[in-house]
Amino acid sequence: MRMKAEQFYQAKKENTAIPLSFISPEELKKQWAKMSEKEKILIQHQQFKASAGQIGWFINQEGAIQKIYIGVEKNNKAKALAQAAQQLSPGLYQLSEPLPCCDLIYWGLAQYCFNVYKKNEDKPRILLLEEAESSEVLPLVDAVFLVRDLINFPTSDMGPRELAEKVMQLAETNGAEFKQWVGEELLKENYPAIHAVGRASSSEPRLLSLNWGDKNAPLLTLIGKGVCFDSGGLDIKPAQAMRLMKKDMGGAAQVLGLAQWIMSSQLPVRLQVYIPAVENAVGPDAFRPGDIITMRNGTTVEVDNTDAEGRLVLADALVKACEEKPELLIDFATLTGAARVAVGTDISAMFSNDEKLAKDIMEASKIVNDPVWQLPLYEAYTDLLRSQIADLSNGNDSPYAGAITAALFLKHFISENCPWVHFDVMAWNLSSKPGKPEGGEAMGIRAIAQYLRQRFQN
Ligand code: BES
Ligand code: ZN
Ligand code: ZN
């Protein structure tokens, strides 16, 4: 039922596949003079102009398809490949020119469909790859598929309990260790904010842990916001704002996709994943505006708004992570609407306490076409998180700099000297674009995969 990358790619063998060639409108014009009358008629009949993603085919003497042209504009081959993958008939294809793996993945990404609740009889279009390409392309595509699946599942089948099962399965398949602290155990083991935010739900709050790799390898810790549904809590969201909030575990989904990629590519790191998994629900036991939570590190936080729950659950997990002194700490979260106002839906907003790290990640993001943009941790705005009666407030009424103040809130829980990166992501495509079907989406993890490969692989 779940889509796998291997449905869309196969190892190259001889002459079984239809060749695909890219052509730009300018190139088409140049080639026109060289074409036979028959070819010209075919091209005209198809009204083929080599516009982006347009398909044009040639037939041989026997009337079988000999070769297919894919129109490409602005040299955006990834986009053209995605558009082609959606339009071609099911069958075997092969590119006439080599493409980098970060483009090849779009063939698979374009064909993803969440078909768990509504059947899809579509047969796959299969692209033939060299072995070296397969070993890079397939794990990346599978990571994105996992992210999308996890987000697309409705909360009725992906609450804190089910998310825990998914992490457990991921750990089992990859020989990793899984642990969790559930319900009252959170209080006993000092995760007060995760408990407070999640306690009103019938699916108990929990902190999930996955640990993998060589004990002596550098420790990389990933943290993902796992709010399986964000109703806003007692500060309940209006219908429009609540509609997509099954995606509020999108940070956890990113981290799990990345973890699967790290483990399947055997990246030489010690991997620690923490996911606070909760539902921000309304109920008699719900935490309230004005409540004060004494956090894992002793900081007291006054709850200004129960809808600013993500930073609360992340804070406990960040403190736990810092206790273990990782070499690199990365969190992903669908943390603020303000980040979407700042950089829109498609760009991942990124913050870091280490400028070199931020710069390197932005560079990596450009290479793999997974847009990331750094926003500042502007210290003076910490004033906006002041509380009269506690160390910090989890929000304020200001309509300004919401993504930055949320990031500054998180920073309060990061130890000095711990290199840390925070991603505030949309995790959702509002409409379908080439290679990006409407629904849950991986954002920022291909950039991080590229960065990690450059830093840790040999
Ligand atoms: N999960 C939301 C943020 C969100 C909203 C992400 C829409 C993506 C799309 C988060 O928990 C939230 O509600 N944040 C509030 C914070 C405010 C109450 C300080 C927000 O951004 O409005
Ligand atoms: Zn919220
Ligand atoms: Zn939220």
Side-chain angles (χ1 to χ4, degrees):
M1 207 146 52
R2 250 198 68 195
M3 288 206 162
K4 299 281 287 166
E6 63 186 23
Q7 291 170 253
F8 307 115
Y9 301 94
Q10 272 176 23
K12 229 169 226 178
K13 10 176 210 239
E14 285 143 66
N15 342 311
T16 44
I18 299 171
L20 300 174
S21 304
F22 292 104
I23 188 165
S24 68
E26 301 77 38
E27 284 164 341
L28 180 65
K29 274 191 201 121
K30 268 193 233 154
Q31 285 202 10
W32 185 251
K34 291 182 227 154
M35 283 184 197
S36 70
E37 272 318 298
K38 213 167 121 193
E39 284 175 336
K40 284 182 182 168
I41 291 169
L42 264 178
I43 291 280
Q44 274 173 335
H45 178 72
Q46 294 174 64
Q47 299 196 332
F48 182 70
K49 299 189 174 63
S51 53
Q54 198 187 5
I55 303 289
W57 40 265
F58 282 121
I59 45 178
N60 61 16
Q61 303 290 358
E62 287 82 47
I65 291 189
Q66 195 176 16
K67 116 177 193 176
I68 289 180
Y69 276 123
I70 304 171
V72 57
E73 289 182 75
K74 296 189 182 126
N75 204 27
N76 192 341
K77 291 182 181 162
K79 182 180 168 195
L81 193 62
Q83 288 169 311
Q86 280 176 304
Q87 298 170 60
L88 293 166
S89 320
L92 284 184
Y93 298 91
Q94 159 170 359
L95 289 169
S96 318
E97 61 179 290
L99 271 195
C101 291
C102 56
D103 288 345
L104 290 172
I105 62 170
Y106 278 85
W107 178 270
L109 297 188
Q111 295 187 68
Y112 171 87
C113 157
F114 184 62
N115 58 5
V116 176
Y117 299 88
K118 186 175 179 175
K119 297 296 155 242
N120 176 359
E121 306 296 340
D122 247 19
K123 293 219 166 53
R125 297 108 186 131
I126 297 164
L127 187 66
L128 301 191
L129 296 180
E130 305 288 355
E131 213 175 287
E133 293 170 332
S134 298
S135 62
E136 205 176 315
V137 168
L138 272 70
L140 274 173
V141 172
D142 274 326
V144 174
F145 283 3
L146 175 60
V147 175
R148 290 174 176 177
D149 278 348
L150 289 168
I151 299 171
N152 286 332
F153 269 108
T155 311
S156 46
D157 287 326
M158 193 55 72
R161 190 180 304 113
E162 292 84 1
L163 186 56
E165 272 161 31
K166 291 282 177 197
V167 180
M168 199 192 304
Q169 278 166 17
L170 184 67
E172 257 172 44
T173 355
N174 291 281
E177 189 192 317
F178 171 80
K179 264 197 305 201
Q180 61 174 333
W181 297 268
V182 186
E184 294 287 314
E185 279 175 315
L186 290 168
L187 292 179
K188 221 173 77 210
E189 299 296 324
N190 195 21
Y191 301 101
I194 301 174
H195 184 268
V197 170
R199 72 191 184 207
S201 169
S202 58
S203 189
E204 283 183 293
R206 52 197 79 209
L207 176 63
L208 313 175
S209 160
L210 177 149
N211 187 283
W212 172 89
D214 182 352
K215 290 221 157 51
N216 301 313
L219 178 61
L220 165 66
T221 302
L222 304 177
I223 295 184
K225 172 175 170 182
V227 176
C228 294
F229 193 80
D230 183 9
S231 70
L234 292 177
D235 287 311
I236 196 162
K237 286 179 186 288
Q240 269 290 16
M242 204 192 295
R243 177 62 183 89
L244 289 179
M245 281 301 129
K246 71 171 183 180
K247 79 172 171 82
D248 215 19
M249 37 61 75
Q254 309 299 330
V255 156
L256 292 171
L258 199 48
Q260 179 179 280
W261 177 82
I262 288 169
M263 295 189 289
S264 68
S265 354
Q266 294 281 315
L267 196 75
V269 295
R270 178 82 183 167
L271 173 67
Q272 172 67 59
V273 173
Y274 287 120
I275 293 173
V278 302
E279 178 186 353
N280 190 15
V282 175
D285 195 25
F287 77 127
R288 317 160 189 84
D291 281 358
I292 293 178
I293 306 171
T294 303
M295 309 290 282
R296 181 176 180 82
N297 69 349
T299 304
T300 55
V301 174
E302 183 175 17
V303 177
D304 174 72
N305 192 315
T306 61
D307 198 9
E309 83 298 338
R311 60 195 79 184
L312 295 172
V313 298
L314 286 170
D316 275 354
L318 291 169
V319 170
K320 167 72 171 165
C322 286
E323 289 163 11
E324 296 156 355
K325 301 192 166 47
E327 279 195 26
L328 176 56
L329 173 59
I330 309 178
D331 79 72
F332 282 86
T334 48
L335 200 61
T336 67
R340 309 287 61 83
V341 176
V343 296
T345 55
D346 297 4
I347 300 175
S348 306
M350 184 254 296
F351 299 83
S352 179
N353 59 1
D354 181 327
E355 288 307 314
K356 165 86 165 58
L357 184 55
K359 191 171 157 281
D360 290 350
I361 289 171
M362 275 193 39
E363 287 302 315
S365 95
K366 283 176 196 151
I367 295 172
V368 295
N369 192 16
D370 181 9
V372 168
W373 206 263
Q374 186 190 9
L375 296 183
L377 285 165
Y378 185 66
E379 287 294 339
Y381 288 168
T382 310
D383 284 355
L384 294 166
L385 294 170
R386 229 185 253 145
S387 156
Q388 294 293 334
I389 57 170
D391 298 329
L392 270 183
S393 166
N394 79 332
N396 59 61
D397 295 332
S398 165
Y400 301 119
I404 297 176
T405 49
L408 285 168
F409 182 95
L410 298 182
K411 183 167 180 273
H412 185 91
F413 297 88
I414 303 293
S415 308
E416 262 325 286
N417 306 325
C418 177
W420 163 64
V421 184
H422 159 57
F423 278 93
D424 194 336
V425 296
M426 175 77 172
W428 190 268
N429 297 321
L430 290 172
S431 62
S432 292
K433 294 195 197 111
K436 300 163 183 281
E438 181 179 337
E441 186 58 294
M443 291 184 179
I445 66 164
R446 287 186 295 113
I448 290 297
Q450 174 70 14
Y451 170 79
L452 293 175
R453 198 160 40 194
Q454 286 170 6
R455 172 161 168 187
F456 291 108
Q457 220 155 44
N458 309 312

